[in-house]
Amino acid sequence: MIPIILAGGSGTRFWPMSRKERPKQFLKLLDDERAMIEATVDRLASLSDEDRPVQIVCHSGLVPPMKEILGEERRVQFIEEPAARDTAPAIAYATACAEALYGDEPIAFFPADHFVAGQKAFERCLRFAAERAEEEEAIITLGIPPTRPETGYGYIECAESIDDIGTELRAEPVVRFVEKPDHTRALQYLREGRYLWNSGIFVFRPATLWAELQRQQPKMWNQVQKLRQTLAADKTNTDELTEVFNDMEPISIDYAVMEGANRVEVIPALFRWSDIGHWAALDEVKDTDADGNVVDADALLDEVTNSVVVSHESQRLIAASGLDNMVIVDTDDALLVIPRNRAQKVRDIVERLKEQ
Amino acid sequence: MIPIILAGGSGTRFWPMSRKERPKQFLKLLDDERAMIEATVDRLASLSDEDRPVQIVCHSGLVPPMKEILGEERRVQFIEEPAARDTAPAIAYATACAEALYGDEPIAFFPADHFVAGQKAFERCLRFAAERAEEEEAIITLGIPPTRPETGYGYIECAESIDDIGTELRAEPVVRFVEKPDHTRALQYLREGRYLWNSGIFVFRPATLWAELQRQQPKMWNQVQKLRQTLAADKTNTDELTEVFNDMEPISIDYAVMEGANRVEVIPALFRWSDIGHWAALDEVKDTDADGNVVDADALLDEVTNSVVVSHESQRLIAASGLDNMVIVDTDDALLVIPRNRAQKVRDIVERLKEQ
């Protein structure tokens, strides 16, 4: 299969560590000193044939810093978006590029900044997904069996309960994609056993996507046809590609294709996963101390529990006392102090800062 | 009278803004852009005759930075302690120095880093204290009528209730000095009406102190006699002064003299006062915003109430959301985050830092 990483995210939820020029995929949020994008590339390296490097889709501005982070050793190839668009244009464009290079091979799309543990199980799931995508002409998604009533994730509803999956690989027809639920609904989903977290990983052959676009998004389909013709004729004619791309409607792949697709299957994942969506989720992927704190800073903590204390490129000492469930993030030019249960509001704070 | 400021405090309670080389009296904690020591000097300027500048007692290391802060305009004179000692040696030494210069004039001692509002009432109280000190040969203290069951202050017990003082100046015999009480006792003191907060301001003639030292602290009295002889003979013989001073027991004036003194009177103060003992006390002396916050920083506050947000020599933006009663202090090399009700624990944090 052709692994493609969608690496255009702006990652405002990890402000002040993440910035426009330093989005989440560039951050070293894990314990292993690799940036998220490094870990993602390494995870996918074994999924493709040796002569097919992992592809990375992002807008041109992110390419130079990403190359620097990834170094010379890693075999990657960039698909440069002329501008930052939503996922539907990015995926259509990347699929057209991959098709021009490798034909109607199954393509697997991955977010750049998620956490996965269990490399073997991950590879097994993906190979199974590629087989299904090829044989069934379906869009295959990976769903994560939920372990808590999470309100920060989208869900995928199956027809049958998948509570009994164990370590068996199977694919279930998708009933529908569900937006982030409130707590009551999330609890209900957890109890019903027919819902999986949407991992943002999906696999399909180019022909499958084209058929869905033709049926569901005729305008985008026409634009894609132009892209394919241009790419088939002369890959270096970037002006025309840019023009067509910039004209595409900035909508998400879920909305444009997934929710209305004829044939979508979900494979319950056998690996551990987190999208590390905000500061409070850091303890899902990093070691905590005896008091439940994630500490990545020069810190003096006195009766501080279940908190996240991080400093980034700052030599400052952080002294804290008598805090529970607090997030403190210190960088060279900005400091964030927020209770854990508000970590998802960081995006709003960044919006307010932009306004000012 | 001779006003003398005791300016040797180390001020660990305002860490990380206060440091060994930048103690509380150097900080601009008030709204008027003056350091605490500047405000204190200005407040006392009118108490002494024109040819008698305000005296400042502190150890030699603090003299150059203090001169820089006070500037050329202010008429002050330094009494350099050979080393940082407790208040009894400092006061005995300063009293001997003042006596050598001005004879048996009443001396008024003041902390360097307290807040006072009501300059006229302040001056009236002090002039009355100097008269009493001269006429009654007593040690005169100033007590602040309490407005809340404060556990951070020492108290002075009077024989009679002073609830009815109004704006009348009077002096009451002191029954005893009381250490910082617990909350139950503080409530009781407030209800009884016979207790005043100890302002740390006291007035006496040199002869009164000498008599008390002779009676209560014979060893220190002998040392003081040597100091006086040396000062009378040759004020520049600093080696001998240093030797005697360094030999003195480092105890507090309260313990050495006040608690056992024959004749101590307290004048209920008619001015507003705070010792600004810790970060949480800042709203007693600084303006608050509509949410009860004291903000002295480039800050974005979202649903933050009753908090203290201060940055010192830092250009960093402080973003906070969903906090109540929190203290955030950001400096160039250290950051403090602590709930308001723990502000008095900052001293312990600094101790732990020193250990490390």
Side-chain angles (χ1 to χ4, degrees):
Chain A
M1 80 196 83
I2 317 295
I4 303 185
I5 300 170
L6 293 164
S10 68
T12 50
R13 292 173 299 177
F14 278 84
W15 186 89
M17 198 158 150
S18 66
R19 300 291 167 91
K20 201 176 171 181
E21 69 284 5
R22 192 174 66 212
K24 182 184 160 202
Q25 56 271 31
F26 288 11
L27 304 183
K28 293 178 178 175
L29 296 176
L30 309 176
D31 275 329
D32 69 2
E33 284 302 306
R34 285 179 302 172
M36 300 307 297
I37 185 69
E38 289 181 275
T40 302
V41 168
D42 293 347
R43 184 185 309 134
L44 305 182
S46 61
L47 290 180
S48 60
D49 294 345
E50 280 207 5
D51 58 336
R52 295 176 184 178
V54 171
Q55 313 275 317
I56 299 177
V57 194
C58 62
H59 61 88
S60 330
L62 288 179
V63 174
M66 207 162 321
K67 276 187 174 160
E68 201 180 318
I69 287 173
L70 292 170
E72 299 282 320
E73 299 282 295
R74 292 182 176 94
R75 287 167 46 254
V76 294
Q77 193 168 349
F78 286 91
I79 301 172
E80 296 189 27
E81 290 173 285
R85 275 280 181 284
D86 209 331
T87 47
I91 284 169
Y93 183 61
T95 301
C97 291
E99 182 192 41
L101 286 168
Y102 306 115
D104 198 29
E105 281 284 304
I107 300 174
F109 280 96
F110 301 89
D113 54 8
H114 289 181
F115 164 84
V116 164
Q119 180 66 22
K120 286 209 170 139
F122 175 77
E123 290 176 13
R124 273 182 68 209
C125 287
L126 263 300
R127 287 189 203 289
F128 182 59
E131 282 167 29
R132 298 285 301 179
E134 188 136 32
E135 290 165 12
E136 305 295 320
E137 292 180 18
I139 296 175
I140 312 295
T141 66
L142 265 69
I144 314 294
T147 51
R148 57 178 188 274
E150 174 65 52
T151 57
Y153 295 151
Y155 284 70
I156 299 171
E157 183 182 348
C158 308
E160 303 288 326
S161 169
I162 34 73
D163 265 1
D164 58 340
I165 54 163
T167 57
E168 178 205 354
L169 277 173
R170 57 193 253 198
E172 288 290 332
V174 168
V175 174
R176 61 175 179 132
F177 289 84
V178 189
E179 299 274 306
K180 293 175 185 177
D182 60 21
H183 184 72
T184 313
R185 265 174 217 271
L187 256 180
Q188 185 190 321
Y189 294 168
L190 187 65
R191 287 202 195 103
E192 278 198 36
R194 295 185 299 108
Y195 291 82
L196 296 159
W197 290 336
N198 187 349
S199 70
I201 301 170
F202 32 88
V203 187
F204 49 71
R205 290 193 314 174
T208 310
L209 180 63
W210 303 152
E212 287 296 345
L213 279 182
Q214 189 169 13
R215 193 172 58 80
Q216 296 190 67
Q217 304 289 340
K219 192 182 166 203
M220 197 176 281
W221 164 241
N222 283 330
Q223 293 164 318
V224 165
Q225 289 295 77
K226 275 191 212 152
L227 289 178
R228 293 172 76 200
Q229 282 156 18
T230 308
L231 285 163
D234 175 9
K235 277 160 213 162
T236 57
N237 188 347
T238 49
D239 283 355
E240 195 168 320
L241 293 176
T242 300
E243 197 183 319
V244 177
F245 183 88
N246 286 343
D247 224 32
M248 284 172 128
E249 199 184 349
I251 53 175
S252 77
I253 191 73
D254 286 5
Y255 182 75
V257 173
M258 295 301 179
E259 290 173 8
N262 269 338
R263 175 135 204 192
V264 189
E265 291 182 354
V266 60
I267 298 175
L270 305 179
F271 50 86
R272 202 154 73 80
W273 171 92
S274 168
D275 86 341
I276 332 177
H278 46 76
W279 284 114
L282 218 54
D283 62 357
E284 293 171 24
V285 300
K286 271 181 89 80
D287 285 340
T288 55
D289 69 13
D291 297 315
N293 301 309
V294 173
V295 183
D296 191 357
D298 179 13
L300 178 88
L301 304 183
D302 164 56
E303 298 183 47
V304 173
T305 49
N306 307 312
S307 293
V308 173
V309 180
V310 172
S311 78
H312 178 74
E313 289 176 359
S314 149
Q315 300 300 310
R316 211 176 346 273
L317 168 82
I318 301 178
S321 174
L323 303 177
D324 184 42
N325 278 306
M326 195 64 74
V327 172
I328 301 174
V329 182
D330 187 39
T331 70
D332 213 37
D333 59 354
L335 162 70
L336 174 73
V337 182
I338 195 168
R340 206 178 172 115
N341 62 11
R342 287 195 171 221
Q344 305 207 29
K345 283 197 69 175
V346 170
R347 198 194 283 257
D348 304 341
I349 290 175
V350 176
E351 284 309 312
R352 276 184 57 188
L353 283 172
K354 276 184 193 159
E355 282 166 27
Q356 288 180 15
Chain B
M1 80 197 84
I2 318 296
I4 304 185
I5 300 169
L6 294 163
S10 67
T12 50
R13 291 174 299 177
F14 278 84
W15 185 91
M17 198 159 149
S18 66
R19 300 293 167 89
K20 201 176 171 181
E21 69 284 3
R22 192 174 66 211
K24 182 184 160 202
Q25 57 271 33
F26 288 11
L27 304 183
K28 294 177 178 174
L29 296 177
L30 308 176
D31 275 328
D32 69 1
E33 283 300 307
R34 287 179 300 171
M36 299 307 296
I37 184 70
E38 289 181 275
T40 302
V41 167
D42 293 346
R43 184 184 309 134
L44 306 182
S46 61
L47 290 180
S48 60
D49 294 345
E50 280 208 5
D51 58 335
R52 295 176 182 176
V54 171
Q55 313 275 315
I56 299 176
V57 195
C58 62
H59 60 87
S60 330
L62 288 180
V63 174
M66 207 161 323
K67 277 187 175 161
E68 201 181 318
I69 288 173
L70 291 170
E72 299 282 321
E73 300 282 296
R74 292 183 176 94
R75 287 166 47 252
V76 295
Q77 191 169 349
F78 287 92
I79 302 173
E80 296 189 27
E81 292 174 285
R85 276 278 181 286
D86 209 333
T87 47
I91 284 169
Y93 182 61
T95 301
C97 291
E99 183 193 40
L101 286 169
Y102 307 114
D104 198 30
E105 281 284 304
I107 300 173
F109 280 96
F110 301 89
D113 54 7
H114 289 181
F115 164 84
V116 164
Q119 180 67 19
K120 285 207 171 140
F122 176 77
E123 290 176 14
R124 275 183 66 208
C125 287
L126 262 300
R127 289 189 203 289
F128 181 59
E131 283 167 29
R132 299 285 301 180
E134 188 136 35
E135 288 164 13
E136 306 293 322
E137 293 180 17
I139 296 175
I140 312 295
T141 65
L142 265 71
I144 314 294
T147 50
R148 56 176 189 273
E150 174 65 52
T151 57
Y153 295 152
Y155 284 70
I156 299 171
E157 184 183 349
C158 307
E160 303 288 326
S161 168
I162 34 73
D163 263 359
D164 58 342
I165 55 163
T167 57
E168 178 205 354
L169 278 173
R170 56 194 256 199
E172 288 291 332
V174 167
V175 174
R176 62 176 178 130
F177 289 84
V178 189
E179 299 273 308
K180 292 176 186 176
D182 60 20
H183 183 72
T184 314
R185 266 174 214 273
L187 255 181
Q188 186 189 318
Y189 295 168
L190 187 64
R191 287 201 195 103
E192 279 199 34
R194 294 186 298 107
Y195 292 82
L196 296 159
W197 291 336
N198 187 349
S199 70
I201 301 171
F202 32 88
V203 187
F204 48 71
R205 292 192 314 172
T208 310
L209 180 64
W210 303 152
E212 286 296 345
L213 279 181
Q214 189 170 13
R215 192 171 61 76
Q216 297 191 67
Q217 305 289 341
K219 192 182 166 202
M220 197 178 279
W221 165 239
N222 283 330
Q223 293 165 317
V224 164
Q225 289 295 76
K226 275 191 212 152
L227 289 178
R228 293 172 77 200
Q229 282 156 18
T230 308
L231 285 163
D234 175 9
K235 277 161 211 161
T236 58
N237 188 347
T238 50
D239 284 356
E240 196 169 319
L241 293 176
T242 300
E243 197 184 317
V244 177
F245 183 88
N246 286 343
D247 225 31
M248 285 172 127
E249 199 184 347
I251 54 176
S252 77
I253 191 73
D254 286 4
Y255 183 74
V257 172
M258 295 301 179
E259 290 172 7
N262 270 338
R263 175 136 204 191
V264 188
E265 291 182 356
V266 60
I267 297 175
L270 305 180
F271 49 85
R272 203 155 72 80
W273 170 93
S274 169
D275 86 341
I276 331 176
H278 47 76
W279 285 114
L282 218 54
D283 61 358
E284 293 172 23
V285 300
K286 272 181 90 78
D287 285 340
T288 54
D289 69 13
D291 297 316
N293 302 307
V294 173
V295 182
D296 191 358
D298 179 14
L300 178 88
L301 305 183
D302 164 56
E303 297 183 48
V304 172
T305 49
N306 307 311
S307 294
V308 174
V309 180
V310 173
S311 78
H312 178 73
E313 290 177 359
S314 148
Q315 300 300 310
R316 212 176 344 273
L317 169 81
I318 302 178
S321 174
L323 304 178
D324 184 41
N325 279 304
M326 195 64 75
V327 173
I328 301 173
V329 183
D330 187 40
T331 70
D332 212 39
D333 60 353
L335 163 70
L336 173 73
V337 182
I338 195 168
R340 207 176 171 114
N341 62 11
R342 287 195 169 219
Q344 305 209 28
K345 283 198 70 175
V346 171
R347 198 193 284 257
D348 305 341
I349 290 176
V350 177
E351 284 308 313
R352 277 184 56 187
L353 283 173
K354 277 184 191 157
E355 283 166 26
Q356 289 180 16

